[in-house]
Amino acid sequence: MPRSAPQAARAALDAYAAPGRSALIRIRTAGGEWEGGVDVERPYRAASLLKLGIAVAVEDGIRDGCIDQDTEISVLELRARPEDHSVLDLLDPRTILRLSDALALMIGASDNTCARWLSKLVSPDHDPDSALVGTTTCRSALDLLRAAADQDRFPITAHALRHSIRNSRIPLGANAADVIIAHKTGSLTGLAHDVAIIECDAGVAEIAFLTDNQHDTLVTAYAMGICTREVLTAWGLSTQSTVSVDGE
């Protein structure tokens, strides 16, 4: 007997499950809603997901008048570090960036150099030499992404999320011709995260994968992509192709 959509989706999550892996998937279609997860409330190092918090704080500051949207800074002044592998290295040091440009690069390309500058604007007492630290759960990460993807409240961030450089995690089997994706990754040694909202004609999928202590993050990332593709297929939200690069 063929498996139902919930059964097939649950089987995909069970196949993905392993030590150090958590997931939360929510599906909304005309036929109803479904939610499934693996170790959903376990806290993880948030890594680059923290950049979403910086982004919404910057846009809140712009709206409240605390941050000047017309602020500009040169690539040279931003002082990219060799360990950043910054997209700014591609630009002439004399290039002038608007605040919105830096915010888009922080989210869309997960640029750490831009993140340090923007975090200083949000919190003047923040030491730009200190690492961004914090924890999150699958549920909290999805809540933050949903807020950041709100085009009315956070237009710069929402635009960057929909046009971000993608990797082979959640968007496996999806491109902009098939779906609209608001998407953010996070990576550290042994850690691979991906959180996304995937909008198709037939419905919406909200997906969060958080991991740590992974022996091979490429293998873990591929498992995320396979799980996502199987869940989308089970619910009739199939897609076709993909690309991407993750951020630290």
Side-chain angles (χ1 to χ4, degrees):
M1 177 182 298
R3 290 185 295 188
S4 67
Q7 289 172 328
R10 183 69 251 176
L13 276 169
D14 290 343
Y16 166 79
R21 295 181 181 181
S22 293
L24 175 61
I25 300 179
R26 297 172 180 148
I27 301 292
R28 298 196 307 274
T29 69
E33 299 184 2
W34 176 84
E35 178 177 307
V38 174
D39 207 6
V40 170
E41 300 302 337
R42 173 177 170 172
Y44 288 85
R45 293 177 292 165
S48 276
L49 298 182
L50 290 169
K51 291 169 183 167
L52 292 173
I54 296 173
V56 299
V58 168
E59 293 212 62
D60 275 339
I62 291 172
R63 187 168 49 252
D64 295 341
C66 302
I67 295 176
D68 184 357
Q69 186 171 3
D70 295 325
T71 300
E72 295 181 339
I73 190 169
S74 70
V75 169
L76 181 61
E77 289 177 285
L78 282 169
R79 299 184 181 87
R81 302 172 183 174
E83 65 271 20
D84 282 348
H85 306 294
S86 174
V87 294
L88 300 177
D89 294 334
L90 299 171
L91 303 178
D92 186 304
R94 295 167 295 181
T95 301
I96 302 299
L97 297 180
R98 297 173 300 170
L99 185 150
S100 58
D101 296 328
L103 198 159
L105 289 172
M106 177 183 71
I107 294 299
S110 205
D111 192 85
N112 289 329
T113 304
C114 291
R116 278 196 295 272
W117 180 57
L118 293 168
S119 64
K120 185 71 174 177
L121 292 181
V122 172
S123 177
D125 294 331
H126 174 73
D127 180 0
D129 292 324
S130 63
L132 296 174
V133 294
T135 61
T136 190
T137 65
C138 287
R139 202 174 299 281
S140 294
L142 270 183
D143 288 344
L144 178 57
L145 180 64
R146 190 187 303 109
D150 186 326
Q151 297 181 73
D152 294 325
R153 290 186 64 197
F154 307 112
I156 305 171
T157 304
H159 180 82
L161 284 168
R162 288 172 178 265
H163 297 276
S164 64
I165 300 170
R166 300 178 191 155
N167 59 24
S168 57
R169 297 179 187 174
I170 282 180
L172 186 66
N175 68 20
D178 304 310
V179 296
I180 298 172
I181 301 174
H183 169 260
K184 186 73 190 77
T185 60
S187 300
L188 294 169
T189 301
L191 176 155
H193 297 337
D194 206 350
V195 185
I197 301 170
I198 303 177
E199 302 175 20
C200 307
D201 288 341
V204 177
E206 297 180 347
I207 305 174
F209 291 113
L210 303 184
T211 71
D212 208 345
N213 301 315
Q214 299 298 290
H215 174 68
D216 188 330
T217 55
L218 289 177
V219 171
T220 302
Y222 187 71
M224 293 177 185
I226 292 296
C227 180
T228 300
R229 186 172 62 189
E230 291 180 353
V231 171
L232 294 179
T233 299
W235 287 95
L237 306 176
S238 300
T239 53
Q240 295 177 0
S241 58
T242 189
V243 290
S244 153
V245 173
D246 66 323
E248 296 180 354

